[in-house]
Structure formats: C-alpha cells, structure tokens
Amino acid sequence: MNKWPIFWLLFLTFFCFTASAKEVWVIPVQGAIGPATSDYIEREFQLAQQQDISLMILKMDTPGGLDSAMRSIIQNITSSTIPVATWVGPNGARAASAGTYILLASHIAAMANATNLGAATPVAIGISGPESSPSDENSPSSQKDAKNSEQVSAKTTLEKKVINDASAYIKGLAKLHGRNEEWAEKAVREAASIDAQTALAGHVIDFIADNLEQVIEFANGREILLLGNKNKLSLDEVSLIERVPDWRYSFLATITNPNIAYILMLIGIYGLILEFYSPGVGLPGVLGGICLVLAMYAMQMLPINYAGLAFILLGLLLLVAEAFSPSFGALGLGGIVSFILGSIFLMDSDLPEYQIAKPLIMALALLSTTFILLMIALLLKIRRKTVTTGVDRLVGRLAIVKDDFDTGQGWVEIAGEIWHASSADSLLAGQKVRVKQVSGLNLIVCANEKNSLME
C-alpha cells in the first residue's frame, strides 16, 4: 500500500491547522484611559494567551488618562507572553500623556503619518499655590511671606517627587526596548511632543505605518525582546481580527464617567431619604439602593477626593434637616454651599475627562435652591393661615343644647359631636349657644344673642 498520500494528507492538515492558528488581534484604545479601558485590555490579554495569538495590536488614539489604569495596562504588556504592538493611528490620532508610556512599553511602537505623541508630564494634585487667604490680609508681612514660602516649598517638593518618579519610570520603559531615553525624559520634564516623522528619526518609534496591514508587514521578521528573551516575529499569512469591546466595557465606561457616577450617587441618597421619609412605598428605596451601590463601585475606581465627598454628604444632611425641621433657609442655604464645594472638589484629577461638568453642578445646585425657596414660601403661607382643624376651631361656633341646663351644666351638639358644656346662663333644650372657650373636654358656652328654640 502506498503511504505517500496519507503522509501528504497529514502534512496538509497540520499546515492548515498551523495557518489557521495565526491570528493578530486589534484592540481599540480610544478616548481617556480609565478603569474600563484597563479592565477590558486585561481580559483581552488573558483570552489571547489562552488562544495563542501571534500578535496583539493596540490601536491608540488617546489624550491620556489615569495613572493607575495606565500602569495596569503596562504591567499586562511587560508580563505578556504574546508580542504587543502599539500603533498610533489612523491619521490625526495621538498618544498623549499616558498613551506615550504605553507606546514606549510595547514590544513594537508604530505611528501613522499626521499623528503625535508626548506631553507626558504628570500633574501634581492637592497642593494649592501661594495665594494668600483673607485672614492673611491682617497679618504682618513677614508672617505672610513665611507662609507663602512654606506653601511654595511644599508644592515644589511634591512636584519634584512626582516628576522624578515619572521620569525614572518612562526612561525604564524606553530602555527596555532600546528607544530614545533622552527624549522620553524630555517628554516628562518639558512636556515635549513630537510628530511621527520626528519620532522615527529620533528612534522613539520603530516605523511609520498608515494602516494595520502595513503594521503587520513592517513588524514581520523583526526581532523583539519578549520576557527577557529575543524572539523573531513570524507574521506570514496571518488573519487580522479587530476586537469589539463587550457589554462589560460599555457598562464600566458608562458608570465610571464622573458625571454619571455623581448623578447615581445623588439619586441613591435622595431615594433612600425619600424612603425613610415615607416608608412602605418601596420603589424609592430599591432604586436608591441600587444607584448608590453602583455609584460607590464606580467611585472606588476613580480618583476621589474624600474631603469633597464629605462636603457633599454634609450638604445633603443639611438639606434633609431643613426639610424635617424648617429653619427658614439657614440650614438649606448652608447645605447648598457645602454641596457645591463638595461637587467641585470631588474628583482628585486635573484631567478634563475626569472632572464633573460645571453646568451639571450648577443645574443641581439651582434645583436644590429652588426646592428650598419653594419650601420656605409654603411655610410662610401656612403660618399666615387661620386654624381650620383641631379643638381651637370650635371657639366662636354655634352649638345646640341637647337638654336643659338645670345646674349650669349639660350637653350640647356641635359639628355632629356631643360635648359636655357649662354656662352661667339658664339654657333650654334646642336653644342655640355660642362656644366661648374650650377647657380640656368641656366647652364653656353662652346664650346666643339671636337666641331661638329649634323647631
């Protein structure tokens, strides 16, 4: 029996299996880099390593992002068993701030024409400038100068620590793959930014590619350093697969939007307050509980300033106190001021993408102010009203004598109710009397001026 056909059949089967296993995944990295981005990329890395992918390409267009999310992505890249290429594209894209670190950490760094990277200077947070407070105006000049000097010194020290740390970090990433360490440090210390042509000439990137096919073409046959070992990329006849973010990414990206997390927190708190105010309804409590849990989950992934959060909670407590024990605006206005301050300070980041929109803060503050003013107006209107219910309302009304008042006491009927009454006058059954005073459960009555018997 001829064994050659079986041999060729096995060889072709093996070759087809090998060829089908060569896949290149394209993972989009667009917009601000945050918790949703790092979570999505981490899951993609885990799945890719299980399926033995040939190459992963991060298709990048980002203005930057959070330091924690950036470092998480870089850790996944540097510990990956699969080569990672970062491509800044298409034309017009950028890899600013956090994107520059990720690009330099990748095994292959590429850019399209008309793109740029850089401006990787971190922003020091939490130290204010040497502005004098109102209380400083009355202090001696030497004391103000000393205080300003201390503030400047504290700010400078913190900035040096942050910049030195970032500079050492980005230089280490550039050195890892033999890229321009000098420019990397310049991107941090001077916020330098360069285009694709300058980056290629300065050995910051490996090549320029205007599309994904060119990235694969230029990367094929290159030697890279993968987990400390040199590897030569073999990307012949690979299939290009563009990955689409799943529902979890969309969900996390939505709730970790500072504006959405802020609104969820307020809905949650107000929902619980409404449920406590009128228990038994159920819907406000359930909706408020769900929104509050989602808000807390989102905020633990965001750079939160806890002083700002405390201001918001204090403001809401003061608004609730105004509702339960009206102070004609004192508590309510204090709560609104505290609420606005807390909303402004809530996000501990200078990135515009991770700030609460000022119009949203003003709209909610205006809504709360309107609510307080309406409540004060209603309270004043209620105070001016005459008594319409209760025992005091009986004074001045007419009653009908049920039996003769032989001893100056007897029973009268008023508003459909039978009351015990006393009078200094002699009264007859059926006679109309007027209520002069209410003393406990006894009415003091007198004969009506237009006295008549009921027929």
Side-chain angles (χ1 to χ4, degrees), residues 102-114:
I102 296 173
L103 180 75
L104 294 176
S106 303
H107 305 104
I108 293 176
M111 297 174 67
N113 283 298

Side-chain angles (χ1 to χ4, degrees), residues 17 55 134 138 150 181 184 209 217 249 270-271 287 291 303 323 328 340 362 381 413 434 452:
F17 174 80
L55 177 68
N138 299 324
E150 291 176 0
E181 299 175 42
E217 178 185 350
Y249 169 81
Y270 278 122
L287 180 62
C291 290
F328 295 94
I340 293 175
M362 292 299 106
K381 186 177 180 181
E413 180 181 352
R434 190 171 297 277
S452 63

Side-chain angles (χ1 to χ4, degrees), residues 247-298:
W247 67 269
R248 175 169 169 170
Y249 169 81
S250 301
F251 176 73
L252 286 178
T254 300
I255 66 171
T256 53
N257 182 311
N259 296 309
I260 301 297
Y262 177 68
I263 293 173
L264 286 174
M265 181 183 68
L266 295 182
I267 292 176
I269 293 174
Y270 278 122
L272 293 180
I273 290 173
L274 183 60
E275 182 65 28
F276 291 142
Y277 184 72
S278 56
V281 177
L283 180 60
V286 173
L287 180 62
I290 293 173
C291 290
L292 193 59
V293 171
L294 286 176
M296 293 300 103
Y297 176 70

Side-chain angles (χ1 to χ4, degrees), residues 18 20-27 43-57 80-84 226 233-235 238-241 243:
T18 304
S20 63
K22 285 192 172 183
E23 293 182 353
V24 173
W25 284 8
V26 180
I27 301 174
R43 290 185 288 110
E44 288 292 290
F45 268 83
Q46 292 174 353
L47 186 60
Q49 289 175 355
Q50 292 174 3
Q51 300 188 15
D52 195 25
I53 303 302
S54 298
L55 177 68
M56 295 181 68
I57 301 176
S80 173
T81 58
I82 297 174
V84 179
L226 188 64
L233 291 178
S234 178
L235 302 174
V238 294
S239 56
L240 197 64
I241 298 176
R243 304 288 291 175

